[in-house]
Amino acid sequence: MSAALLRRGLELLEPPGRAKAPPGLQRGRAGPRAAGAARRRKRAPESSRNKATVKGRVVKSAIEEYHKKKPVNHLRENLQYMLKGRLVADKAVAEQVLAQNRGRKSKDQPPEKTEKKKPEGTVFTEEDFRKFEREYFGVP
């Protein structure tokens, strides 16, 4: 599931009073020119000195670098976020989320439910079967 679909599903499950997702989960651009501005900000602070020289270089601790790049487990925060609401979605909202994730092809559509016919009971009794057996097959 893509992040956009997940975000859209979470928006549907939001209580009516709250309009936006928490700032940690919200990610977006300020406008159409924000991407260009971000690119310019990244490119601007370049120094012209040679990075290969030793002079003025600070020795970095390998352990500190490892801890910086170590993946952070967000399970606890995510569980708290998911469990704090305990909002049960309406049936219509759940159907809307499922419809968004479903494709348009016929193979993606759920099969139509057909009512199963209950097997009808027989109108003949055991005595009728014995009588038929005697008449037809001649068994006494």
Side-chain angles (χ1 to χ4, degrees):
M1 185 184 287
S2 69
L5 283 175
L6 185 64
R7 213 174 297 115
R8 196 185 294 170
L10 285 174
E11 286 172 10
L12 287 172
L13 294 175
E14 294 274 332
R18 243 177 67 187
K20 300 249 179 184
L25 294 176
Q26 196 173 36
R27 211 179 261 180
R29 294 194 175 106
R33 288 173 273 179
R39 223 177 284 122
R40 282 192 298 276
R41 274 194 303 269
K42 284 182 186 174
R43 211 176 342 164
E46 288 184 22
S47 62
S48 60
R49 74 175 185 89
N50 188 359
K51 302 270 185 185
T53 60
V54 179
K55 183 177 179 182
R57 185 161 192 161
V58 179
V59 178
K60 296 179 183 176
S61 169
I63 296 172
E64 288 177 16
E65 288 296 312
Y66 170 75
H67 285 300
K68 278 184 195 173
K69 294 180 182 179
K70 187 172 140 185
V72 181
N73 188 3
H74 296 286
L75 176 69
R76 191 163 309 284
E77 299 101 62
N78 290 342
L79 282 175
Q80 285 175 349
Y81 174 73
M82 294 296 217
L83 293 175
K84 83 175 170 196
R86 276 294 172 208
L87 175 72
V88 179
D90 297 337
K91 186 84 170 162
V93 173
E95 287 297 323
Q96 189 177 358
V97 170
L98 289 173
Q100 287 173 354
N101 292 332
R102 201 176 297 135
R104 295 178 125 188
K105 294 182 182 175
S106 62
K107 68 176 184 144
D108 295 330
Q109 299 300 322
E112 293 181 14
K113 295 180 180 177
T114 57
E115 294 182 16
K116 294 181 180 177
K117 293 183 179 179
K118 294 181 180 178
E120 295 180 12
T122 179
V123 292
F124 299 106
T125 62
E126 280 295 317
E127 186 61 38
D128 293 334
F129 282 118
R130 283 193 210 108
K131 184 179 175 186
F132 173 76
E133 214 175 285
R134 269 187 256 127
E135 290 176 3
Y136 194 76
F137 295 114
V139 176

